[in-house]
Amino acid sequence: MDTKELLKKVRKIEIKTRRLSDHIFGGEYHSTFKGRGMTFSEVRQYQFGDDVRSIDWNVTARYNEPYVKVFEEERELTMMLMVDVSGSELFGTSNQFKKEIITEISATLAFSALQNNDKVGVILFSDEVELFIPPKKGKSHVLRIIRELLEFHPKSSETNLAEALKFLTNVMKKKAIVFVLSDFIADDYDNTLRIVGNKHDVTGIRVYDKREETIPNLGMVQMQDAETGEIQLVNTQSKQVRLAYGEHYQEKVAYFTNSFNKSGCGVINCRADESYVKKLLGYFKRRG
């Protein structure tokens, strides 16, 4: 797309998502995530009512009387958006592709972080890390992220979430709020996710289309895998074929849910024809 068209699209997304973040998600984001990160401030003498778990035993032994560690809230947080840009995101039977909804959700989250004066960074991934934008503050930085989400063309159409999660652990040394946005048609990422979940505050946002859940009876249909490019002739009249597809899809969904739950990570499911606003808001309120 040309520069004029791109700027027009960026502006359109900014207006829509900034309004959401300002009026709906700003306060919810703050109450959900602020204060979760704590940094060491000082040690002081133990006072009645202090939590005994905060006693600094080294200092206590040195002075022969109890001292406690004092922590304070981290005033600055970092949000990392991990966005799947593989071929399967270019699918949609409603008004929007999954990619477009992921872009809107990412922009809404980014503006919520901006309103809270937090840094925002992005990892765009397929079966490799396609682009890394280090965390920064500021409106111009958020608008750059939106531009990349709109016009970025990945080198690969396949998916490898585990590789992206490994990259995250290498570049993010301090605890971050991490949102992974994908359809999660992926395998073998549960072990890596467990390591990431122990260090960061992770939420998986699964964006999917209702037509992906089942295959309708359309007779003999030529189908192409969006990630591998492979074309197959599929007999959708066959009840066995439709059943096998449905079971395979549900296995992927169950793997996503179980992997994130077992790793202590959050889960949001957003269907393309439903309001992602309600899903995000409900999630923030439950956590807050």
Side-chain angles (χ1 to χ4, degrees):
M1 75 180 72
D2 60 34
T3 305
K4 189 176 179 181
E5 186 185 352
L6 175 62
L7 291 173
K8 189 177 177 182
K9 283 198 168 190
V10 170
R11 181 62 181 155
K12 185 179 177 181
I13 289 179
E14 180 193 358
I15 291 169
K16 179 178 181 179
T17 59
R18 182 127 200 198
R19 187 175 67 246
L20 289 172
S21 63
D22 286 350
H23 295 104
I24 300 175
F25 295 110
E28 296 298 337
Y29 169 86
H30 178 92
S31 61
T32 302
F33 296 108
K34 274 298 180 187
R36 291 186 180 273
M38 305 295 286
T39 55
F40 173 74
S41 175
E42 61 179 346
V43 292
R44 61 163 170 77
Q45 285 184 304
Y46 178 86
Q47 297 173 1
F48 180 76
D50 285 339
D51 190 338
V52 294
R53 290 174 297 182
S54 63
I55 291 177
D56 186 321
W57 295 105
N58 290 330
V59 178
T60 297
R62 190 181 309 146
Y63 292 101
N64 206 27
E65 58 180 312
Y67 277 77
V68 294
K69 293 178 181 177
V70 178
F71 294 86
E72 61 182 16
E73 289 182 5
E74 287 182 354
R75 298 302 173 192
E76 182 182 279
L77 297 177
T78 298
M79 176 192 288
M80 284 300 300
L81 299 169
M82 297 184 63
V83 180
D84 183 354
V85 292
S86 63
S88 62
E89 305 310 328
L90 293 171
F91 180 84
T93 58
S94 302
N95 295 326
Q96 292 177 295
F97 288 139
K98 290 185 286 184
K99 177 187 175 182
E100 294 172 309
I101 295 165
I102 285 173
T103 298
E104 284 191 16
I105 295 173
S106 299
T108 303
L109 292 170
F111 277 122
S112 296
L114 175 67
Q115 189 181 3
N116 232 26
N117 200 34
D118 293 336
K119 294 178 181 177
V120 187
V122 169
I123 295 171
L124 304 184
F125 70 93
S126 54
D127 61 349
E128 60 182 294
V129 173
E130 299 268 359
L131 178 69
F132 171 54
I133 303 177
K136 279 179 64 178
K137 295 181 182 181
K139 179 183 172 182
S140 61
H141 180 66
V142 171
L143 293 178
R144 184 211 164 179
I145 289 171
I146 295 172
R147 284 198 303 272
E148 292 290 358
L149 288 169
L150 283 171
E151 69 169 355
F152 188 81
H153 297 289
K155 290 178 282 185
S156 173
S157 59
E158 299 186 32
T159 312
N160 189 329
L161 177 54
E163 279 301 311
L165 290 169
K166 287 175 187 173
F167 181 85
L168 176 75
T169 59
N170 290 332
V171 296
M172 296 303 297
K173 301 306 179 185
K174 289 186 177 181
K175 183 176 181 179
I177 299 163
V178 180
F179 289 97
V180 187
L181 297 103
S182 172
D183 53 16
F184 292 94
I185 308 297
D187 300 302
D188 302 325
Y189 57 80
D190 54 335
N191 290 331
T192 316
L193 180 64
R194 195 172 297 119
I195 294 168
V196 174
N198 284 334
K199 182 177 181 182
H200 301 290
D201 189 332
V202 183
T203 301
I205 302 179
R206 186 174 75 93
V207 177
Y208 67 101
D209 191 284
K210 62 183 178 182
R211 295 299 181 196
E212 293 176 305
E213 298 178 283
T214 56
I215 296 181
N217 185 350
L218 299 172
M220 295 296 290
V221 179
Q222 214 176 44
M223 293 188 175
Q224 182 177 27
D225 189 312
E227 299 206 355
T228 64
E230 183 183 356
I231 298 174
Q232 286 187 350
L233 196 62
V234 179
N235 180 16
T236 62
Q237 282 183 315
S238 168
K239 187 177 180 181
Q240 190 175 1
V241 168
R242 296 198 305 271
L243 185 64
Y245 174 87
E247 288 176 349
H248 176 72
Y249 181 82
Q250 290 305 322
E251 283 174 9
K252 296 285 187 184
V253 175
Y255 179 71
F256 158 70
T257 305
N258 293 336
S259 297
F260 273 75
N261 285 339
K262 286 179 180 177
S263 302
C265 304
V267 168
I268 303 174
N269 290 289
C270 291
R271 205 171 80 179
D273 59 335
E274 296 176 339
S275 169
Y276 65 80
V277 176
K278 290 181 180 177
K279 297 294 179 78
L280 288 176
L281 197 55
Y283 177 73
F284 285 169
K285 284 186 174 179
R286 286 195 303 275
R287 285 199 49 171

